[in-house]
Each structure stands twice: as structure tokens, then as C-alpha cells.
Amino acid sequence: MSEQADLLVIGAGTAGLPCAIEAARAGLRVELVDVGADIGGTLGVSAGHLSAAGTRRQRRAGIDDDPDRHFADVLRIGHHRGDPALIRLAVDEAAGLVDWLDDNGFPFAPGTPVVYHGHSPYSRPRTYWGTGHGRSILETLRPLLAEQVSAGRVSLRLGTRAAELTTTAGVVTGAVVHTAEGPRELRAGVTVLASGGYGANPDLFRALTPNRPRLVTNAAPTSTGTAIELAVPLGGSVRFADLHTPRLGLLERRSDPGRVDFWTELAHLAPAERPPREIWVNSAGQRFVAEDLDDVTRHERAVQEQPGAEFWIVCDEPAVAAGAPLVPAWGADRFRTEARRGDVAWVADDLADLARRAGIDAPGLERTVRAFNLAVEQGVDPLGRRVLGHPVSRPPYYAVRSVAALLCSFGGLDVDTDFRVRRADGTAVAGLHAIGEAIGMGATSGAAFCGGMAVTPALAFGRRLGRRLGERTSVDP
């Protein structure tokens, strides 16, 4: 069975939703398909951070900012990697995107925009999020999509998996999709891949990043790399997977290997958010970085280089009792309870016993703690740590295991600034576009987490592509 539309959008998430909405508003007939049971994709698990310079909210707050400074910050933080043309386009589109959300009732978290320190910070307050994080974006877009569905301009098909792209004379003409009723062909003048990244596909992660550790992820289960698997057989090229950067501070339970939870089990390790009262050690019990470095990206890279891309955060009882908790969602009492449980945290009255329980080399940990305590006493740390107010000296002792975990796929399909999927030789796959995490966070963020440079480009590029396709009198490839 075959059906014809002007536009087929595969993926009803961060990028696919605004693309479908804007294209439909421009009068196109849109088929929007998603494998999930609801729209939203990764917005259900995302922090939903946005970054934009020159917005109305910045002007009202008296913040002097512009896309040029935003662009310079992204290049600096991302080590001048990624795709400069796409980064430039993203920062130029960002303010309009945030103002558009504002116009549609987006519930900004009080106090935003801010300088966010969970990643390497920008030079200006330009990071925003909603009161419900990623879900705030979803609930702002939901009525806009519903309006187009009600008007008959968008056909939404949930629980629908795109199995392969179809072509005629080398031009993509749509896709074969699988539904509960069986396969069917959806034909369209243009097809857009907006089905997210590959964070829930260990085999694809391993193939694209063979020199990285095993996949530990917070990705939505639907993030299986569908866009790459659909486009590569037609010549689509993948790039920037080598820029893979983990998120700092996520905790992997032994009872649930391979998964982490950004919302309930995230240790706050950025020194601007919480000066360290602990030390970090690898499986040999050795410290490997100054825990109070201002550069979060250096921390992320240092963790990735440790055996198993894992480390343990070690402290004593006074460190647990003092100040802001290491894991905010736990607090001090829950921290102690989790340590007694012994799944992701451990407690013992002596360091050797703690090491055995946690899986750390005991002599190595004991040597490291002695050396660190001496550094605290003398006020000079060989690794250059400046915050030296808390020795590890008063039992009980605690250890929490953290891992280099994936939040966003850095690799993705190569596209030009019209979001046309490109082959290795630079030629476009006719009739095929890609946006969102399908093009990889590395394209718009470089070799680091630049705050808001995953969600904002996904939304902005989706809007831009939908509008541009709708501006044509006929949808040409």
C-alpha cells in the first residue's frame, strides 16, 4: 500500500516536531512518523537546555550579548572542532527560536538565562531551560502540532518504524514503514530524518567509536541510530563520532549495568557548583586529575581515559555531613543509605575494607589517601588542587562509583547548511535531509559539551527546514 505526501518526517522529537509544524503551517501535506508511543523523543529524558544570544529575555535582564560572542564561545569550548558553518547557522537562529518558544507560552525557569557551570561555561548568561526541563519544550510544541493534525495538514503515525528508504532514479521518494497492521510505503517529495542518535544501540556505538569504552547511557530506548542505518546504504556519510564526550558525574549501579539516570543519580562535580570535599580515584586507587579544575571538559576527558572509563569518589563522614550534598537528589541521609546498600556506593570503617567492597585496589587507595592528607596538611597538592579543606581522615569512609556515560550521540550524518545528507565525496543524496541528533552533537558542539548546543540547533534547524521547504511552490529534492 502506498500513500503520497509533500513531506515525510521520520521522528517526532526535538527536531522533527518543529519541522512538521512549520512545513504544515506553510501548506505542505506532512506525514510524521515515530516508533514511540507518544511524541517527544528524547525530550522526556533531556534537561532541555537552550542557549541563545540576543534574546528578548537577555535584553530585559540587561545582558549585552550577540551571536558573534556565542559563536566564539562555542568554538573555544569545543576546541575549534565540529562544523563551523552549522555552528554559525545555529547561533544565528537561536535567538529567534527562544523568542518563538516565549511567544508560545514556554515556561522559563526563574532566573534564566544564567551562566551554567555543569559544562564548561559560556562568557555570558545565555543558558535557559523550562520549569519541566525537556518536557517543557514538548508541552509547548504539543498544541502546535495538534492544531496542524486537526487541520488535516499533518498525519501523525505513532508506533511506526521506518524500515528502509525508497528511491527512484537515485532520488529518495519516501520510506517503507512497519506498523502494527503491517508494512506500508509512504511516498513524499522530500524525506527528513529526525529520528535521534544512537545512544541506545551498543553495537552501533561500538562500530562508530571503536576506541571508546563500552556504552553506558541515559538515552531514550528509541535512540537506536535509525537515521544512520537508513541513510548509509544510500551513501550517507557519518562524521564526528570520534569527538564522543561523556557527561561527568553519572552513577552506574551494579544491578543495572549499562544504564544511568540523569535525574535521580547525578553527582555534582563542577567546582563552581560545589567545591569538592572528596578525592577521585581510578581502579588502581590513584588520583588522576585535580578535582577542582575549572574546565569541566578536561574532567570529562580525564575520566574517559581511566581504565573502564570509571572512577570512585572517596570521602569521609565529615565531608558527607558538611555543606551541599554530592548527589543532590539523595541528600546526606539517602547517601548513607545507598552506601550501606552497596550497589553504587559503599561504606566501611577502614580504607582497605572500603576498597575491597567498592572494587578499588586497597594498597593503592591507602597510599593515595595518605598522600592527599599530607597535601592538605602542607597546603600544596602535586596535582594542583586548590581546595584543600577536607582530608580523608575520619571514618566511616565512603566511595561512590561514577562512569563516563553518554547523554548525546556526537557522531551523525554529514549535512550541508540546507541539511541535505551528503556522501563522502560531498554530493547530496537527492530528496533526503537530516536534522537533530541524527546529524550528531559533534557538528554543532565540537569536541565538548557546549551548553544548549544539542537541543537548540535541533529545534532551530527543524523550524528552518520546515519553513524553507514550505516556501517552495513545489517540493523539489
Side-chain angles (χ1 to χ4, degrees):
M1 182 178 180
S2 174
E3 300 177 36
Q4 179 72 40
D6 297 316
L7 175 63
L8 169 62
V9 180
I10 298 173
T14 315
L17 287 173
C19 182
I21 290 165
E22 293 289 4
R25 281 178 167 174
L28 299 188
R29 299 183 311 281
V30 181
E31 288 279 357
L32 177 61
V33 305
D34 196 281
V35 71
D38 190 15
I39 63 171
T42 60
L43 290 174
V45 297
S46 169
H49 284 189
L50 305 159
S51 62
T55 65
R56 290 197 300 262
R57 290 184 68 84
Q58 279 186 317
R59 290 194 294 274
R60 288 197 294 264
I63 298 167
D64 179 24
D65 200 7
D66 58 66
D68 288 343
R69 282 179 273 199
H70 191 182
F71 181 67
D73 273 353
V74 173
L75 292 184
R76 170 182 57 82
I77 295 169
H79 301 280
H80 293 268
R81 302 292 301 276
D83 186 321
L86 288 177
I87 294 170
R88 183 75 240 188
L89 184 59
V91 300
D92 286 344
E93 292 281 328
L97 178 277
V98 170
D99 289 348
W100 177 70
L101 291 173
D102 200 355
D103 290 340
N104 284 283
F106 182 75
F108 289 93
T112 58
V114 300
V115 176
Y116 177 68
H117 291 277
H119 307 304
S120 295
Y122 288 124
S123 61
R124 298 283 193 284
R126 67 169 72 102
T127 300
Y128 320 70
W129 57 87
T131 54
H133 295 279
R135 292 188 180 278
S136 293
I137 298 171
L138 172 57
E139 296 312 319
T140 302
L141 298 180
R142 191 185 294 277
L144 305 182
L145 177 68
E147 178 183 352
Q148 301 306 318
V149 172
S150 296
R153 291 186 285 268
V154 174
S155 295
L156 174 62
R157 301 175 187 269
L158 298 173
T160 300
R161 179 178 64 85
E164 64 176 316
L165 299 175
T166 56
T167 62
T168 299
V171 178
V172 174
T173 56
V176 174
V177 300
H178 289 181
T179 70
E181 291 76 33
R184 67 174 61 194
E185 182 181 355
L186 301 179
R187 297 182 63 83
V190 167
T191 297
V192 174
L193 300 176
S195 52
Y198 49 84
N201 188 333
D203 291 337
L204 186 55
F205 176 81
R206 191 179 306 112
L208 294 175
T209 54
N211 298 322
R212 300 300 185 190
R214 66 188 177 90
L215 177 63
V216 182
T217 184
N218 184 65
T222 53
S223 296
T224 59
T226 296
I228 291 173
E229 293 178 337
L230 290 174
V232 166
L234 301 183
S237 181
V238 178
R239 58 178 178 167
F240 299 133
D242 61 309
L243 303 185
H244 170 69
T245 301
R247 177 58 159 91
L248 190 68
L250 286 157
L251 312 179
E252 181 191 27
R253 290 182 174 271
R254 286 178 175 170
S255 61
D256 190 18
R259 293 294 306 180
V260 291
D261 190 330
F262 177 85
W263 295 109
T264 64
E265 296 185 337
L266 176 70
H268 275 202
L269 301 180
E273 294 181 317
R274 178 188 175 277
R277 304 191 296 269
E278 308 82 15
I279 60 172
W280 305 353
V281 302
N282 58 22
S283 58
Q286 300 168 339
R287 291 176 65 216
F288 53 90
V289 71
E291 294 86 354
D292 61 349
L293 275 178
D294 292 332
D295 188 344
V296 176
T297 302
R298 285 180 61 189
H299 275 160
E300 291 164 342
R301 294 294 183 195
V303 169
Q304 194 165 238
E305 292 167 0
Q306 301 314 302
E310 62 184 352
F311 70 107
W312 287 259
I313 306 161
V314 175
C315 65
D316 62 2
E317 176 59 33
V320 174
L326 176 66
V327 184
W330 289 358
D333 289 342
R334 169 82 182 277
F335 183 97
R336 296 184 184 98
T337 298
E338 290 291 346
R340 290 192 296 270
R341 184 176 298 167
D343 192 10
V344 70
W346 297 267
V347 62
D349 289 329
D350 66 78
L351 289 170
D353 190 23
L354 178 72
R356 284 190 291 269
R357 295 182 184 193
I360 309 168
D361 179 75
L365 179 61
E366 290 176 317
R367 286 192 300 271
T368 293
V369 169
R370 284 196 300 269
F372 178 72
N373 290 344
L374 180 62
V376 172
E377 181 181 332
Q378 296 178 342
V380 179
D381 176 39
L383 292 181
R385 173 168 165 165
R386 300 178 301 275
V387 178
L388 294 170
H390 286 271
V392 183
S393 59
R394 292 176 56 188
Y397 301 107
Y398 298 89
V400 183
R401 178 170 169 266
S402 185
V403 293
L406 181 148
L407 286 190
C408 292
S409 303
F410 273 69
L413 294 169
D414 180 10
V415 297
D416 61 19
T417 53
D418 288 323
F419 315 115
R420 296 179 299 178
V421 174
R422 293 192 291 201
R423 303 179 181 88
D425 63 5
T427 60
V429 178
L432 187 63
H433 295 68
I435 47 176
E437 201 175 348
I439 70 172
M441 186 174 177
T444 54
S445 188
F449 271 100
C450 292
M453 288 303 289
V455 172
T456 313
L459 291 164
F461 290 173
R463 284 193 74 214
R464 180 181 175 90
L465 180 58
R467 290 197 309 268
R468 289 175 68 87
L469 292 174
E471 288 168 357
R472 304 177 184 179
T473 55
S474 62
V475 182
D476 302 320

